[in-house]
Amino acid sequence: MAVRIGKIELIGLTTIYTEDARNLVQQRVPGQAGSVFQDLGREPVTVVMEGILLGEDTQGALEELRLAQMKSTPMSFAADAIAGADLTDVLIADFQVKQLAGHENRYSFFLKVKEYVEPPASEDAGTAAVDQAVAEDAATWAQGSTDAASVLQNPDSLMEAVDSNPELLNHLSPDELGSVVTQTQDKLSGKSFGNLVGTLGKTNPGAVGGFLDSLKNSGSLGGFIQKLATEGVNLLKMLKGIDLGAAMDLVKAIAGAGDFLAKLQRVAAEAKSLGEAMSGFDPLGPFKQLEAELKS
């Protein structure tokens, strides 16, 4: 009969049997004959094996079995000869080995294994990942709140802070953000302004309309429209794919005004260039040159 434990096949078995028991607790009843037994379930199945260890690498098999016993490592178990013992994993409870005289790599052994059952998960095992996620969210929220407070104290640090932690925009109301941008409008380029609006749209799209209204009410929106036009920044492109709701009409109006202003600036530049060219133009010049050539 063959039994496989882990990767080791025990082909030299001479004896194999099981030990099955139930955990019964005897409760005596005072003043009455007999006892009451409380059934606490069956004990793990025990399998006892004796035989000779054969094979090409008996030393390696011995070391693997000893190591599994020492570290209480569960090992897979398969034995068709044991009827009614449906075991898949076992722990080695006892392992005794004797080397047979006259044989270099032949050993007799006594091996006792017990059924291994995976221990139940702790009640809070499923909450560990949730607790970690909550802790990370709390840390992110706290950092965003701290960065937002820093920006309110030092408006010039706005763009650097947003680049490092865009989440801080969730901690600034539209009016607070509008006030910070208004205070730094001379230092903000059209590209920086466009990037800020785009980041706000991705982080908190519901605040875009209130932010632009705040700039309009403070009188600084026109200056940013001119910067967008001068630098050729497409605000709609930076907000592509973001659902801004009612604020989209205002964004389109700003983009349209910027586009119109850019075209107007190009027309003005071309007109200026044409005026400079015309200022040095003499309509009688060709005739004067011809007259000079005839005289000579």
Side-chain angles (χ1 to χ4, degrees):
M1 63 185 72
V3 172
R4 182 178 294 275
I5 178 169
K7 297 180 180 180
I8 303 170
E9 189 171 2
L10 304 176
I11 58 177
L13 286 175
T14 58
T15 304
I16 180 170
Y17 61 90
T18 63
E19 296 176 352
D20 297 88
R22 297 200 69 81
N23 189 1
L24 299 176
V25 178
Q26 183 179 5
Q27 305 288 350
R28 296 188 180 276
V29 181
Q32 294 184 8
S35 302
V36 176
F37 290 91
Q38 182 180 3
D39 185 359
L40 300 182
R42 70 173 179 85
E43 295 286 345
V45 176
T46 300
V47 181
V48 180
M49 293 165 281
E50 295 181 69
I52 298 176
L53 193 60
L54 304 173
E56 297 180 357
D57 188 14
T58 54
Q59 288 288 345
L62 286 174
E63 289 302 318
E64 185 175 348
L65 291 172
R66 286 195 180 104
L67 188 63
Q69 181 195 26
M70 181 178 64
K71 294 187 175 182
S72 294
T73 304
M75 301 186 74
S76 60
F77 183 85
D80 296 335
I82 306 177
D86 187 15
L87 304 180
T88 56
D89 296 286
V90 295
L91 291 173
I92 298 177
D94 191 5
F95 184 43
Q96 301 175 24
V97 180
K98 294 180 182 179
Q99 186 170 7
L100 298 179
H103 300 277
E104 182 179 356
N105 291 315
R106 185 169 294 185
Y107 305 87
S108 66
F109 68 89
F110 172 85
L111 181 62
K112 180 186 287 188
V113 299
K114 286 184 176 292
E115 178 184 9
Y116 173 75
V117 179
E118 188 76 24
S122 60
E123 294 182 357
D124 60 345
T127 64
V130 176
D131 291 342
Q132 182 179 357
V134 170
E136 291 175 356
D137 289 344
T140 301
W141 187 92
Q143 185 62 49
S145 179
T146 301
D147 292 344
S150 178
V151 165
L152 290 175
Q153 294 178 357
N154 181 17
D156 291 341
S157 65
L158 173 64
M159 293 310 301
E160 182 179 353
V162 169
D163 290 340
S164 300
N165 183 15
E167 291 298 322
L168 72 87
L169 294 176
N170 285 320
H171 298 267
L172 292 174
S173 69
D175 287 338
E176 288 176 334
L177 182 59
S179 175
V180 170
V181 171
T182 298
Q183 295 178 59
T184 59
Q185 59 180 326
D186 294 338
K187 299 179 181 180
L188 283 179
S189 65
K191 182 178 180 180
S192 296
F193 177 74
N195 288 335
L196 177 62
V197 177
T199 303
L200 180 62
K202 296 175 183 177
T203 306
N204 187 6
V208 172
F211 167 60
L212 295 177
D213 282 336
S214 177
L215 294 180
K216 182 174 65 174
N217 295 334
S218 66
S220 58
L221 184 58
F224 285 113
I225 293 176
Q226 185 172 358
K227 289 183 178 182
L228 293 173
T230 301
E231 298 176 28
V233 178
N234 189 334
L235 191 60
L236 283 177
K237 184 177 181 180
M238 292 184 169
L239 292 168
K240 185 178 180 180
I242 300 175
D243 184 10
L244 298 178
M248 181 55 74
D249 292 337
L250 179 57
V251 172
K252 289 181 178 179
I254 294 173
D259 185 54
F260 173 77
L261 187 58
K263 292 178 180 179
L264 187 62
Q265 289 175 343
R266 287 196 298 270
V267 171
E270 292 173 359
K272 180 180 180 182
S273 177
L274 179 61
E276 292 175 350
M278 291 293 293
S279 64
F281 176 69
D282 184 2
L284 299 178
F287 298 100
K288 293 178 180 179
Q289 182 178 3
L290 178 60
E291 182 180 0
E293 291 176 354
L294 291 175
K295 290 181 178 180
S296 62

